[in-house]
Amino acid sequence: MGLLTELRDSISRVVDRMFSDAEPRRIGIYGPPNAGKTTLANRIARDWTGDAVGPESHIPHETRRARRKENVEIERNGKKVTIDIVDTPGVTTKVDYKEFLDHDMEKDDAVRRSREATEGVAEAMHWLREDVDGVVYVLDSTEDPFTQVNTMLIGIIESQDLPVLIFANKTDLEESNVQRISNAFPQHETVPLSALEGNNMDEVYDKIAEYFG
């Protein structure tokens, strides 16, 4: 029995080293503008590293270049998973500079921001097709999920055969309707949360470890 126990422990140590030395999995955070992607990225990064990924804003397209936080180690139920968080620009079919004028932005700044946001959409699509190992898809649970962008992106993710979790964000708001998101994409698991308030983050981390570990 002693020899068998030593053999089992030796194998266990080898397996642990194999997984600990594995490359972190690149997890892209995708979704439409203002769904709370950067707020979620910052929540995860701060909870596990103490650092933030990028600035947050109520103005659309605050994130116009993909930002990456490497080697975020999440431990759940005795299991560790190491991921690189890729916070991507919000994807939309059209970026109109006029929407930024409603936020007291000068026209030149609005035009520049719209151009950068358009370039950011192209960059996000490149990451999706070439450089991510899994996707966290963030939706604003107060908004209708049945949009061309959401349908297109979920379809691309599925065609890439990438593991995907759908996060129904902003559950702290009265208008939140998580079931509507679940009904829109029943083929994927939907996890409710409020990235801003930190609500239900335990389940978020459990699912990240389960899907991407």
Side-chain angles (χ1 to χ4, degrees):
M1 290 295 290
L3 181 60
L4 288 175
T5 300
E6 288 180 14
L7 180 60
R8 182 186 61 198
D9 292 344
S10 177
I11 292 173
S12 178
R13 286 192 297 270
V14 170
V15 170
D16 287 343
R17 282 197 299 272
M18 288 173 59
F19 280 102
S20 65
D21 292 339
E23 287 292 319
R25 306 201 68 190
R26 293 181 302 273
I27 307 304
I29 300 181
Y30 278 81
N34 274 22
K37 297 180 297 299
T38 301
T39 303
L40 175 62
N42 284 340
R43 171 70 62 178
I44 296 172
R46 286 190 179 113
D47 281 353
W48 297 98
T49 72
D51 298 324
V53 175
E56 304 166 24
S57 173
H58 67 283
I59 302 176
H61 301 286
E62 178 63 29
T63 302
R64 300 183 296 283
R65 287 290 181 271
R67 300 188 182 100
R68 184 169 174 175
K69 181 64 178 175
E70 298 182 335
N71 296 313
V72 178
E73 188 176 270
I74 297 173
E75 185 171 359
R76 304 302 293 175
N77 304 315
K79 178 182 179 181
K80 291 182 181 179
V81 55
T82 303
I83 62 174
D84 291 348
I85 299 172
V86 184
D87 180 27
T88 66
V91 176
T92 183
T93 55
K94 180 182 179 182
V95 182
D96 189 342
Y97 80 90
K98 294 177 183 177
E99 68 178 304
F100 302 121
L101 299 178
D102 296 333
H103 296 276
D104 298 324
M105 193 174 291
E106 296 293 331
K107 182 177 179 180
D108 288 347
D109 292 335
V111 171
R112 174 182 53 79
R113 191 182 183 100
S114 65
R115 182 172 60 250
E116 292 173 351
T118 301
E119 293 170 353
V121 170
E123 183 186 14
M125 298 308 296
H126 171 80
W127 274 92
L128 183 58
R129 290 190 170 96
E130 303 291 341
D131 291 316
V132 297
D133 302 309
V135 173
V136 166
Y137 199 82
V138 183
L139 289 168
D140 181 344
S141 62
T142 70
E143 299 288 340
D144 185 357
F146 290 99
T147 68
Q148 179 182 357
V149 168
N150 292 334
T151 302
M152 175 191 70
L153 279 177
I154 293 294
I156 292 173
I157 293 165
E158 290 173 344
S159 71
Q160 297 289 98
D161 200 26
L162 294 169
V164 57
L165 276 170
I166 295 180
F167 286 173
N169 193 25
K170 304 189 182 183
T171 57
D172 55 299
L173 300 180
E174 186 176 347
E175 302 86 356
S176 172
N177 187 338
V178 175
Q179 189 60 50
R180 183 168 54 181
I181 293 176
S182 298
N183 293 342
F185 305 105
Q187 71 274 35
H188 300 293
E189 185 161 7
T190 298
V191 180
L193 76 148
S194 169
L196 180 65
E197 300 294 335
N199 298 340
N200 203 40
M201 293 305 295
D202 282 340
E203 184 179 2
V204 166
Y205 295 137
D206 286 343
K207 293 301 180 183
I208 288 175
E210 176 185 341
Y211 273 65
F212 307 127

